[in-house]
Amino acid sequence: GHDVVALVRDAANAHALTDAGLILREGNLDDAASLQKAAADADAVINAADSDHAVGVASLLDAVANTGKTFIHTSGISVTADHAKGSGGGIVRDESVAFQPIPERAGRYAVDQAVRAAAARGCRPIVICCPLVYGPPPWPGRESVQLPTLVADARKHGAARYIGAGEARWTHSHIDNIAEAYALALAKGTAGALYYPETAEQSWGELAAKIGRSVGLSTCSITLEEGVAAWGPRALWTYCSNARTRGVRIREGLGWHPRVDDIETDLRRLASMAA
């Protein structure tokens, strides 16, 4: 029921957003004035553009300070990742469990902490730390990262690949569940809160097996070096790490409960697109 204004760099090339029901306004994370003017005109602000853009986030926090407005910041559970290199284990964390991030995720963690600390500045800041997100996007061309990458990689190499033992585990959730988490946080989230929306978890090896079934290919293990060569540095804190979160506070405090849990259906969708 809300009117949603989307900041875009070039409104002329963002017709898909208009078709999805969004109101377009030109803005840029590197342009503090555009961010602050847009925030001033809005009842609440959600950063769903860039989890790591510290300067843009700082500008938005300045804009909502002393206004009582809600600012929801999108983060991701790679901040909780370890250097498992494909091995299992890992610490299971709910929102109350403190941790220190690995060096590669320290910048994102610092942004998250700055957002939460802004509760002392007269606004209602909230961090939603998303897991692996899957499901069809609301407009074409805006797929999530991990699953499309792995399905395309399987097609390219003739096997669904995983790093090392493939035992490291990540939590995941469908995009519809994630959208519901944002709606609830907007309505009744606690200032300074961290929320972990999640549905279930699985190992990267288990996920590779599901990808393999969806595209009709076998699975195979690759080295960490091969993974980094294929997927870039993020392989270190994504495709071979443990990031095992549990959304206790979001369930108990917001009444959020995931309604969709069907990752294999989405894998079949992605496989059909790649065929």
Side-chain angles (χ1 to χ4, degrees):
H2 300 295
D3 290 327
V4 182
V5 178
L7 295 188
V8 296
R9 287 181 293 273
D10 184 359
N13 292 319
H15 301 298
L17 296 178
T18 304
D19 294 342
L22 303 178
I23 302 165
L24 302 189
R25 177 170 178 165
E26 291 196 2
N28 192 307
L29 288 172
D30 294 310
D31 181 357
S34 70
L35 298 180
Q36 292 175 0
K37 180 63 168 64
D41 294 340
D43 297 309
V45 179
I46 298 174
N47 173 29
D50 191 332
S51 300
D52 306 305
H53 201 292
V55 174
V57 170
S59 295
L60 290 170
L61 289 174
D62 287 343
V64 299
N66 301 312
T67 66
K69 291 182 180 180
T70 300
F71 173 63
I72 299 178
H73 174 69
T74 303
S75 185
I77 64 170
S78 67
V79 295
T80 73
D82 57 19
H83 282 143
K85 300 179 181 180
S87 297
I91 298 171
V92 178
R93 297 180 172 93
D94 64 36
E95 295 100 336
S96 67
V97 178
F99 64 93
Q100 288 297 319
I102 59 176
E104 294 90 342
R105 299 285 81 192
R108 174 173 292 190
Y109 179 79
V111 173
D112 293 352
Q113 295 302 99
V115 172
R116 298 181 68 189
R121 300 177 60 190
C123 59
R124 185 167 67 116
I126 294 165
V127 174
I128 296 182
C129 199
C130 295
L132 183 155
V133 180
Y134 67 93
W139 55 83
R142 296 302 300 169
E143 294 286 349
S144 58
V145 177
Q146 289 98 341
L147 292 192
T149 295
L150 293 175
V151 170
D153 182 86
R155 289 282 190 194
K156 178 179 179 180
H157 292 92
R161 308 193 301 168
Y162 59 88
I163 294 173
E167 296 172 349
R169 304 180 70 82
W170 263 51
T171 48
H172 59 75
S173 196
H174 190 279
I175 185 61
D176 289 352
N177 301 327
I178 301 299
E180 181 69 13
Y182 278 78
L184 288 168
L186 181 62
K188 55 183 179 180
T190 301
L194 167 69
Y195 295 118
Y196 288 144
E198 49 73 30
T199 303
E201 70 170 37
Q202 63 191 318
S203 72
W204 294 104
E206 291 167 340
L207 183 57
K210 292 178 179 179
I211 292 171
R213 288 194 295 271
S214 72
V215 296
L217 296 170
S218 61
T219 64
C220 73
S221 172
I222 61 175
T223 66
L224 177 59
E225 291 72 22
E226 290 172 317
V228 171
W231 304 317
R234 71 172 181 262
L236 292 167
W237 59 80
T238 303
Y239 301 115
C240 63
S241 70
N242 293 287
R244 307 177 64 189
T245 54
R246 296 293 184 272
V248 173
R249 182 177 293 155
I250 194 170
R251 286 173 168 84
E252 295 179 353
L254 300 186
W256 177 85
H257 295 283
R259 293 179 291 176
V260 184
D261 183 14
D262 190 6
I263 201 167
E264 293 199 56
T265 294
D266 198 51
L267 287 172
R268 288 192 292 272
R269 177 185 69 88
L270 293 169
S272 68
M273 291 169 57

